[in-house]
Amino acid sequence: MESYRVNMLNRFIALFFLASGLFFSLRVYAEVNVQIGMLRLPVEETRAVPEYLREPENNGLAGAELSIKDANGTGKFLKQNYALVVETSDDVEQLKNTASTWYKEGIRYFLVDVDTPYLVALRKAIPDDALLFNVGNHDVSLRTEICLPNTLQTSLSYAMQGDALSQWLRVKRLNNVFLVSGVTEADNAYLDAVKTTLRKYNHKVVEEKVWNFDTDLRRSASAEIPLFTQASNYDAVLVIDESNLFGQHLPYNTWLPRPVIGTHGLRADGWSYVIEQWAAIQFQNRFTKLFDRYMTAKDYAAWVAVRSVNEAVTALNKGDVETVLPFIMSDRFQLAAYKGRKLSYRPWNGQLRQTVPLFDSQALVATAPFEGFLHPRNELDSLGIDEAQSQCRLFTMNATDNQ
């Protein structure tokens, strides 16, 4: 009797694989060629920043190259080919001319890593039927007021980073905050978003100071920082220093022994080399082997932009924007991207819904959104700009409700 059951099971398995083989052999894949252009500003070199904290020259670009390699790895079985062309310049006219030339040559997908004025100029220079991915700009106004057509945001907004930090403060019941910020445009943009989210979660700023000194803190941090952070009481120090000019010296040097969060200490960003869960360790190892460095948040944003196109093209067996974009913005699109949740795009402003890791230099500490922070549509929308806070209505006609 037992041998009979085994025999029948073997026959069933054989029939299953035979049927599967017939199914896949009958499916015909059309050849699809996808070209993607990347437009980026050169990385700024700041002598005041320590070598180990400087931005890699290929920051973002490396992530795009890995994603192209991944897409071609699976694409060769499906007759799909992906190619990346790159232009790096701080001249907006050169970037615009390159983008226009690429468009005339048939390129319809663009990764863009530039500041807000450049991004607006590039969007105007490229016809609306091209699809842009913002992979490096955190500006909240791009998600609220500057509603660029056919533009998706894979980079976190400052509002998403601020909400992740504020949720963590609320969970830990650390409600009184000492706020320290730098003087750059990026610092001010992040500061505005942080102030908004602190008010939203009912935190109190007990002291606010601006670091506008040019002191070399490498030898004097233990003397300068305690005096600078002197106040009667606070539960946490929230530092905003996007340029790494002083923030790295705050942990363990504050007047009161309190946690430091923000751009230093406990950070909230799109990615970190400490993430190993959800099969990310293999992902991290592949990147490190190729580029001899760790993957950054900007690398991840560029990787996931290419990955979004690849996922849609694989599902549809077509590479034109008119077919791919509605699919990406529909409730059928769910992207697996090593974050423990399937990701999707917000139809009103094109922002990628994603969990936000909170981490220090050695370990993943937590992941936002935290339990208890609910949302009527999607709890990932508790991070960043919700529909009611945005003037943008970019893809509401193209997509069903993303549940």
Side-chain angles (χ1 to χ4, degrees), residues 223-260:
E224 299 286 346
I225 297 297
L227 293 176
F228 184 78
T229 56
Q230 189 171 357
S232 59
N233 191 27
Y234 46 87
D235 298 323
V237 177
L238 202 162
V239 56
I240 298 173
D241 173 25
E242 288 280 82
S243 301
N244 294 314
L245 297 176
F246 66 91
Q248 62 270 24
H249 299 289
L250 264 70
Y252 312 109
N253 281 319
T254 55
W255 179 260
L256 297 176
R258 300 292 187 266
V260 175

Side-chain angles (χ1 to χ4, degrees), residues 55 59-61 63 113 135-137 269 271 296-303:
E55 184 179 357
N59 194 15
L61 173 58
D113 178 20
V135 301
N137 193 317
D269 212 338
W271 191 255
T296 68
K298 188 176 291 187
D299 288 319
Y300 180 81
W303 178 88

Side-chain angles (χ1 to χ4, degrees), residues 164-184:
L165 293 169
S166 292
Q167 287 188 11
W168 182 83
L169 288 171
R170 176 57 58 189
V171 168
K172 297 297 181 180
R173 299 182 181 179
L174 305 174
N175 297 320
N176 296 318
V177 178
F178 191 120
L179 190 55
V180 183
S181 62
V183 296
T184 67

Side-chain angles (χ1 to χ4, degrees), residues 193-311:
V194 162
K195 286 183 175 179
T196 299
T197 191
L198 289 175
R199 288 193 296 269
K200 181 168 74 172
Y201 289 95
N202 200 29
H203 297 301
K204 180 181 180 181
V205 178
V206 297
E207 188 79 33
E208 180 181 352
K209 289 188 177 181
V210 175
W211 185 273
N212 54 10
F213 310 102
D214 57 3
T215 306
D216 186 347
L217 289 173
R218 284 175 288 185
R219 296 183 179 179
S220 60
S222 61
E224 299 286 346
I225 297 297
L227 293 176
F228 184 78
T229 56
Q230 189 171 357
S232 59
N233 191 27
Y234 46 87
D235 298 323
V237 177
L238 202 162
V239 56
I240 298 173
D241 173 25
E242 288 280 82
S243 301
N244 294 314
L245 297 176
F246 66 91
Q248 62 270 24
H249 299 289
L250 264 70
Y252 312 109
N253 281 319
T254 55
W255 179 260
L256 297 176
R258 300 292 187 266
V260 175
I261 68 173
T263 56
H264 298 79
L266 182 69
R267 297 180 55 199
D269 212 338
W271 191 255
S272 170
Y273 58 84
V274 302
I275 300 173
E276 295 185 340
Q277 293 91 329
W278 313 297
I281 188 168
Q282 292 86 356
F283 179 53
Q284 302 272 28
N285 290 342
R286 287 192 293 112
F287 183 92
T288 303
K289 184 177 181 180
L290 278 175
F291 302 105
D292 196 29
R293 67 170 176 83
Y294 295 125
M295 175 176 264
T296 68
K298 188 176 291 187
D299 288 319
Y300 180 81
W303 178 88
V304 83
V306 176
R307 180 75 185 86
S308 296
V309 176
N310 175 225
E311 177 73 14

